[in-house]
Amino acid sequence: EADIYQTPRYLVIGTGKKITLECSQTMGHDKMYWYQQDPGMELHLIHYSYGVNSTEKGDLSSESTVSRIRTEHFPLTLESARPSHTSQYLCASRGQVDSPLHFGNGTRLTVT
Amino acid sequence: KNEVEQSPQNLTAQEGEFITINCSYSVGISALHWLQQHPGGGIVSLFMLSSGKKKHGRLIATINIQEKHSSLHITASHPRDSAVYICAGRVGGGADGLTFGKGTHLIIQP
């Protein structure tokens, strides 16, 4: 029943490569989020968007960038991947403040 | 110190047992979320509540705003309930992103 999709599910790349993690939702939600989660640790917000052409950095400093050209699409880009970027990246969306979050299945990134 | 604290960190129980997971937060929140994360990594929203109690099947969530505390209960636990349970709250103004607890790793043994 997932209405929010992330690709790829797993990604192993070498240091210095540019990568884009895709996130799309079909619910028409204005609010979208990217979270980073290391194994056994809590989720940390790295980027969020309130709508088209709106993007903000989250609580956790990240070298990644995001764009929001269309409501349904919120890709995250790393210009030059490093081993410290190895983590799980989770995308989420919701319609209103304090409404339930919908999560994608995550992208597990390994940078060698 | 994390503004959202969960306990216990790990919990192993036998099938059929009544399970309680606790969440305490140090500042005011407007709503508290309970989430379930399975080993594959995907996260499902279980409850969002700002007062009282909510029930869905065998799951019950309660919140006490004055005491800044919420609990998630599982009745008649089953091995398929094995997962990480995460509470999260929107703390303060600004971004409406959430502050997450570290999660409770629950294992239900048959």
Side-chain angles (χ1 to χ4, degrees), chain A:
Chain A
E1 63 167 65
D3 296 317
I4 180 164
Y5 306 95
Q6 288 187 244
T7 58
R9 186 74 179 88
Y10 300 94
L11 180 60
V12 181
I13 59 165
T15 297
K17 300 290 186 184
K18 176 180 178 179
I19 59 167
T20 296
L21 308 184
E22 301 288 348
C23 176
S24 295
Q25 50 95 6
T26 59
M27 296 169 283
H29 287 166
D30 285 329
K31 299 180 188 298
M32 295 190 74
Y33 309 86
W34 276 104
Y35 295 96
Q36 184 175 342
Q37 184 185 32
D38 292 328
M41 300 299 290
E42 63 267 44
L43 283 78
H44 289 285
L45 180 69
I46 52 175
H47 296 283
Y48 63 98
S49 168
Y50 288 159
V52 171
N53 295 326
S54 154
T55 61
E56 301 286 346
K57 288 188 179 294
D59 307 317
L60 182 68
S61 175
S62 173
E63 293 164 346
S64 58
T65 59
V66 292
S67 62
R68 190 86 184 276
I69 298 172
R70 303 197 315 266
T71 297
E72 60 270 22
H73 195 214
F74 190 40
L76 180 146
T77 298
L78 276 167
E79 290 292 334
S80 180
R82 295 207 301 268
S84 61
H85 296 139
T86 295
S87 189
Q88 174 161 251
Y89 294 85
L90 288 146
C91 180
S93 73
R94 59 179 168 180
Q96 302 296 325
V97 171
D98 291 338
S99 61
L101 278 165
H102 296 257
F103 281 88
N105 283 328
T107 293
R108 199 172 293 275
L109 173 66
T110 302
V111 183
T112 61

Side-chain angles (χ1 to χ4, degrees), chain B residues 6-95:
Chain B
Q6 286 186 239
S7 64
Q9 189 174 347
N10 296 285
L11 177 58
T12 299
Q14 295 299 121
E15 183 173 357
E17 286 188 39
F18 181 82
I19 303 299
T20 296
I21 298 170
N22 296 299
C23 177
S24 298
Y25 44 94
S26 57
V27 296
I29 63 170
S30 56
L32 187 129
H33 299 247
W34 280 103
L35 309 168
Q36 180 190 56
Q37 185 171 31
H38 278 285
I43 295 177
V44 175
S45 178
L46 298 175
F47 296 103
M48 188 194 66
L49 66 166
S50 53
S51 65
K53 173 180 170 179
K54 286 190 175 181
K55 184 176 189 293
H56 181 72
R58 294 181 295 106
L59 301 177
I60 303 166
T62 64
I63 189 168
N64 185 316
I65 298 296
Q66 286 75 26
E67 294 185 4
K68 294 186 171 63
H69 181 268
S70 177
S71 292
L72 176 69
H73 306 285
I74 305 174
T75 62
S77 59
H78 190 276
R80 65 175 174 266
D81 297 325
S82 299
V84 177
Y85 292 84
I86 302 168
C87 71
R90 182 160 71 93
V91 177

